[in-house]
């Protein structure tokens, strides 16, 4: 309700416009990159809480053998991608979610996941809640970026969580952003603190600050700042010579003030972080692609008769609407004009942060 995604849901086009046998077509399906295996009983538990939701998923193991159970990140990713791209009808009209479960969380394993996603072509929207301190992987990121560039060329929209460590991604004595969120091909999903009215409608929003408890409790704050690897892409419109800034767009991530429900380990619990934002955005883009598929049935197709979806790099559209507030009759964003991404780590080490 707070983000008014009901306006998109009410269009009624999620998520199998062409009536494809066996489930949604790639452009309105979601692929999730994670490490570890999920317990389908948790998926069932989430949907038992919200019986109006449909669900349709596939588990794909990457890296040799069966990953260890149970993966809370991927479980939350599945539950919220599904919640945001749901027909509230048949499993075959709700967005299909393909869980690419790595046998471990090594950087090389995730490259295998991304390669397999591109090869399989099951989806055109990808989400991951995993990342690395950009300063640790600077020499490795080009290989991943090459895969991402191929996927973008095929119409994929890629989303990654920006991180939950405030301005210091890995809770170290230095500021850093996370990769792959920092990659210009990727929509970096940040976090805010959302306050609601009593009827769950939007009240106000602040940048998500972390608390005083220390990194051992992952006390939060939306990771964001400036990349040391990537120059500013054209969509950001930054001054010449500036580097890429993240995040690109944020949703509620504050697990203290406004936690969201996760069913994991056999029970319902509150959670949050930018790890919940990324799959929500993935569900949104899957719905947007389904709407474009519908538009194509009216217009006879886009771009010379081809499909109107997938969108590709979603940042070009997000920033266009942001830079042109009068283009659409309803400006689609809440501007975040208060709050900072500081926490106890920035305080202890005297680090800079962003407001």
């Amino acid at each position: 309700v707070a983000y008014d995604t009901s306006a998109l849901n009410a269009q009624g086009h999620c998520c199998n416009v062409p009536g494809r046998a066996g489930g949604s077509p790639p452009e309105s399906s979601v692929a999730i990159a994670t490490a570890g295996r999920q317990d389908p009983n948790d998926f069932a538990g989430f949907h038992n809480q919200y019986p109006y939701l449909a669900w349709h998923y596939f588990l794909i193991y990457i890296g040799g053998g069966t990953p260890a159970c149970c993966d809370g990140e991927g479980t939350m990713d599945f539950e919220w991608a599904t919640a945001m791209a749901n027909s509230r009808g048949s499993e075959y009209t709700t967005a299909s979610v393909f869980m690419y479960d790595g046998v471990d969380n090594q950087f090389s394993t995730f490259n295998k996941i991304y390669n397999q996603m591109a090869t399989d072509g099951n989806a055109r929207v990808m989400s991951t809640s995993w990342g690395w301190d950009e300063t640790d992987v600077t020499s490795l990121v080009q290989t991943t970026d090459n895969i991402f560039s191929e996927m973008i060329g095929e119409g994929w929209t890629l989303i990654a969580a920006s991180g939950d460590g405030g301005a210091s991604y890995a809770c170290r004595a230095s500021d850093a952003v996370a990769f792959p969120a920092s990659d210009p091909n990727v929509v970096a999903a940040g976090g805010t603190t959302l306050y609601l009215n009593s009827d769950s409608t939007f009240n106000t929003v602040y940048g998500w600050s972390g608390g005083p408890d220390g990194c051992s409790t992952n006390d939060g704050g939306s990771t964001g700042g400036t990349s040391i690897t990537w120059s500013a892409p054209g969509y950001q419109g930054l001054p010449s010579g500036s580097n890429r800034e993240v995040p690109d767009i944020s949703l509620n991530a504050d697990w203290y003030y406004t936690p969201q429900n996760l069913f994991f380990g056999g029970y319902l619990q509150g959670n949050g972080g930018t790890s919940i934002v990324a799959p929500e955005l993935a569900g949104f883009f899957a719905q947007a692609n389904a709407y474009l598929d519908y538009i194509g049935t009216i217009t006879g197709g886009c771009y010379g008769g081809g499909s109107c979806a997938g969108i590709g790099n979603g940042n070009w559209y997000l920033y266009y609407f942001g830079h042109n507030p009068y283009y659409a009759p309803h400006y689609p964003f809440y501007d975040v004009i208060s709050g900072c991404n500081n926490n106890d780590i920035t305080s202890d080490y005297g680090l800079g942060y962003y407001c």
Side-chain angles (χ1 to χ4, degrees):
V1 176
Y3 291 120
D4 198 23
T5 57
S6 57
L8 183 59
N9 296 336
Q11 296 292 325
H13 302 308
C14 182
C15 280
N16 192 355
V17 171
R20 183 172 178 262
S24 57
E27 56 267 27
S28 49
S29 297
V30 177
I32 291 175
T34 188
R37 175 168 51 94
Q38 302 77 45
D39 182 353
N41 292 317
D42 286 330
F43 294 172
F46 184 80
H47 289 88
N48 288 340
Q49 294 290 324
Y50 309 102
Y52 52 84
L53 294 177
W55 51 318
H56 195 212
Y57 70 92
F58 303 86
L59 304 181
I60 302 166
Y61 301 149
I62 303 294
T66 302
C69 194
C70 294
D71 162 37
E73 289 278 14
T75 300
M76 184 161 64
D77 289 354
F78 168 78
E79 291 174 359
W80 280 94
T82 296
M84 284 290 286
N86 209 286
S87 68
R88 292 166 170 78
S90 166
E91 64 179 305
Y92 298 111
T93 53
T94 281
S96 300
V97 179
F98 295 85
M99 302 297 304
Y100 284 81
D101 294 339
V103 71
D104 55 44
N105 61 0
Q106 297 300 304
F107 192 92
S108 58
T109 300
F110 273 77
N111 277 345
K112 293 176 183 176
I113 290 174
Y114 302 138
N115 264 320
Q116 194 63 53
M117 286 179 174
T119 298
D120 292 347
N122 289 320
R124 288 297 183 271
V125 180
M126 185 279 286
S127 174
T128 186
S129 294
W130 289 83
W132 291 264
D133 188 316
E134 196 185 46
T135 61
D136 290 340
V137 295
T138 302
S139 63
L140 305 174
V141 299
Q142 191 59 58
T143 298
T144 312
D145 180 68
N146 291 341
I147 303 170
F148 288 166
S149 294
E150 175 189 344
M151 296 172 79
I152 292 292
E154 295 172 354
W156 285 75
T157 303
L158 312 174
I159 305 108
S162 75
D164 304 341
S168 175
Y169 170 69
C171 289
R172 298 175 178 174
S174 60
D175 287 339
V177 297
F179 180 85
S182 65
D183 191 293
N185 284 311
V186 174
V187 176
T192 55
T193 297
L194 175 68
Y195 291 95
L196 304 176
N197 296 315
S198 59
D199 61 354
S200 296
T201 55
F202 177 86
N203 183 295
T204 190
V205 65
Y206 295 91
W208 178 35
S209 301
D213 295 341
C215 284
S216 62
T217 61
N218 191 18
D219 209 34
S222 178
T223 296
T226 304
S227 169
I228 63 170
T229 305
W230 309 103
S231 59
Y235 53 73
Q236 286 200 308
L238 300 177
S240 177
S242 296
N243 279 15
R244 164 120 165 92
E245 295 180 357
V246 294
D248 297 304
I249 187 170
S250 299
L251 299 176
N252 178 60
D254 194 321
W255 47 62
Y256 181 78
Y257 289 105
T258 45
Q260 294 169 237
N261 282 340
L262 158 72
F263 198 100
F264 178 68
Y267 67 97
L268 196 68
Q269 54 196 280
N271 213 301
T274 60
S275 297
I276 208 168
V277 178
E280 287 178 328
L281 289 171
F284 168 81
F285 278 111
Q287 279 240 45
N289 275 340
Y291 178 70
L292 290 176
D293 268 345
Y294 167 72
I295 293 297
T297 66
I298 297 174
T299 63
C302 301
Y303 315 114
S307 173
C308 297
I311 289 173
N313 188 337
N315 281 327
W316 289 98
Y317 302 92
L318 296 178
Y319 280 91
Y320 183 83
F321 286 114
H323 286 272
N324 297 276
Y326 302 110
Y327 180 81
H330 174 71
Y331 187 57
F333 303 120
Y334 296 116
D335 288 329
V336 184
I337 58 174
S338 301
C340 306
N341 69 344
N342 58 312
N343 57 13
D344 57 313
I345 300 302
T346 57
S347 176
D348 287 349
Y349 290 112
L351 301 177
Y353 53 88
Y354 298 88
C355 296

